[in-house]
Amino acid sequence: MIFNEFEREVDGIVLNFGVSSQAVLDIISGKTEPSGLLPVQMPVNMETVEKQFEDVPYDMVPHKDSEGNLYDFAFGLNWKGVIKDARTETYKKE
C-alpha cells in the first residue's frame, strides 16, 4: 500500500494484520484505544517497493505522513499520538 497516493484524502488509516473484525470495530467506535505497531515497513512509493529485497530487513524508505511520522517497523499511533513504550524501545533502530 502506498499511503502517499491517498493520505491527503482521508482522516485516518486503520490497518488489519489478521486481528478479529470485532477488534477493528472496537477501535473505530472508540471503545478501545489503538495499541498495535506495524509489523512491516510501509514504503514511501512504488519505486521503493520494486527495489526492495524480500529477505532484507529495513531496506526501504518508509512513508512519512503529513505530521512527520515515519511508517517504519514498530511504528504505531494511539489517541494521544505516537506510541512509545517498552516494545518500541526493543525495536528501536540504533
Side-chain angles (χ1 to χ4, degrees):
M1 185 177 316
I2 308 299
F3 292 133
N4 285 338
E5 295 178 357
F6 63 86
E7 179 191 1
R8 70 184 141 262
E9 306 294 327
V10 300
D11 292 328
I13 300 169
V14 176
L15 295 177
N16 177 349
F17 290 95
V19 300
S20 71
S21 298
Q22 186 61 53
V24 174
L25 292 172
D26 287 348
I27 289 171
I28 291 171
S29 70
K31 180 178 178 182
T32 302
E33 183 172 33
S35 63
L37 303 176
L38 285 176
V40 296
Q41 292 177 291
M42 301 308 292
V44 67
N45 55 36
M46 200 58 190
E47 181 181 345
T48 298
V49 173
E50 292 167 355
K51 289 181 179 179
Q52 176 212 12
F53 294 107
E54 295 173 3
D55 58 349
V56 178
Y58 299 112
D59 70 331
M60 70 169 68
V61 177
H63 168 71
K64 183 185 250 185
D65 70 17
S66 60
E67 302 295 318
N69 299 307
L70 289 176
Y71 285 48
D72 212 343
F73 179 79
F75 169 74
L77 292 169
N78 59 24
W79 301 140
K80 297 170 199 80
V82 176
I83 296 172
K84 292 182 183 176
D85 59 19
R87 298 171 301 159
T88 59
E89 284 299 313
T90 298
Y91 297 114
K92 187 186 329 184
K93 286 193 228 176
E94 300 295 324

